[in-house]
Amino acid sequence: MKLFIDTGSVAEVEEIAAWGVLSGATTNPSLLAKEQGSPGDIIRRICELVDGPTSAEVVSDDARGMVAEGRALAGLHEHVVVKTPFSKAGLAACRELSSDGIRVNMTLVFSANQALLAAEAGAAYISCFMGRLDDISIDSAQVLAEVVGALAPSYSDSQVLAASLRHPGHVVQAAQIGCEVATVPAKVLRQMLEHPLTTAGIERFKADWQARPEFAEWLSGLVAGRQAVAAG
Ligand code: E4P
């Protein structure tokens, strides 16, 4: 499963992209509205930083407006994927944009039936929201499994993207269910790093090594020798 970052913050993308784990990003109007500066500049910068698919969402209610906004957003950067909301207009816009070679992420999908319609409209990504389902006491893992199961036999061109992820458990569930992508907020990505045994283990290894000062000297020499060879 590929990991995308779910954010409108360039600073967060800079921080997490440095870990080498990101394959793309998703924004939405709410996330971008929290940031200072031009949305276009932010979207372009995120595209450069993740060097992969970066979703930017249309806001029109009608298909014609969505298509016009989608074409304009796609012109910002080659990595832009146009997000259209799930609706009759969103489906029509998805079909038109996809037919023009513009990749579409159909968002706000909450059922397998909606996902099947999105796939038929040519969506490259289908964003199924876990957190918002859990918020209304619907088992998001069950819905996501239904979406993945419904698309798997016939729709290899549409990737299921687990969205609205609120904690590390959601990310693991999305992977176990077979989602191709999970888009994860920076806070949850940071939580995914943590385990007390990892921290304790690093401290123990370091302390044991430092108890043998000649070992530190040997390793410094090894590194210096290697660098000298590389420098010619
Ligand atoms: C991403 O594509 C979605 O817009 C985002 O994950 C929604 O998350 P939320 O439900 O926490 O707002």
Side-chain angles (χ1 to χ4, degrees):
M1 184 178 73
K2 300 288 184 201
L3 292 178
F4 289 5
I5 185 167
D6 193 22
T7 188
S9 161
V10 169
E12 286 184 347
V13 181
E14 278 171 346
E15 174 197 339
I16 313 282
W19 301 356
V21 300
L22 293 181
S23 299
T26 51
T27 67
N28 66 33
S30 306
L31 290 169
L32 287 170
K34 288 195 273 186
E35 303 299 321
Q36 300 298 317
S38 144
D41 290 346
I42 293 171
I43 291 164
R44 269 193 291 259
R45 184 70 187 126
I46 293 175
C47 286
E48 289 166 5
L49 285 166
V50 298
D51 195 22
T54 298
S55 293
E57 190 161 342
V58 301
V59 290
S60 280
D61 292 326
D62 61 294
R64 181 187 290 208
M66 288 182 195
V67 169
E69 289 173 4
R71 289 202 176 110
L73 289 168
L76 285 173
H77 194 282
E78 61 182 341
H79 289 330
V80 167
V81 173
V82 174
K83 244 185 181 182
T84 61
F86 185 86
S87 63
K88 285 184 273 188
L91 288 167
C94 177
R95 166 50 61 205
E96 190 168 339
L97 290 165
S98 301
S99 300
D100 281 355
I102 294 173
R103 288 173 299 169
V104 174
N105 174 354
M106 180 70 68
T107 191
L108 293 165
V109 167
F110 294 96
S111 73
N113 277 305
Q114 291 180 329
L116 286 165
L117 290 170
E120 278 296 325
Y125 298 95
I126 297 175
S127 287
C128 188
F129 283 38
M130 296 192 80
R132 294 193 197 187
L133 281 167
D134 290 342
D135 289 346
I136 57 166
S137 302
I138 293 176
D139 182 346
S140 63
Q142 187 179 329
V143 172
L144 202 57
E146 284 170 10
V147 167
V148 169
L151 297 187
S154 319
Y155 296 103
S156 56
D157 292 340
S158 298
Q159 300 194 26
V160 179
L161 188 158
S164 187
L165 306 184
R166 304 274 170 78
H167 52 75
H170 272 153
V171 185
V172 173
Q173 281 181 318
Q176 288 171 332
I177 288 165
C179 294
E180 283 93 352
V181 184
T183 191
V184 189
K187 178 183 162 212
V188 177
L189 286 160
R190 291 186 203 106
Q191 289 175 324
M192 289 168 70
L193 290 174
E194 300 302 330
H195 196 288
L197 290 177
T198 303
T199 309
I202 289 171
E203 281 168 13
R204 169 80 67 84
F205 287 147
K206 195 180 280 186
D208 289 346
W209 190 259
Q210 283 169 348
R212 298 291 301 271
E214 71 276 25
F215 280 16
E217 203 175 313
W218 165 79
L219 187 56
S220 306
L222 190 68
V223 171
R226 174 81 189 146
Q227 286 170 343
V229 170

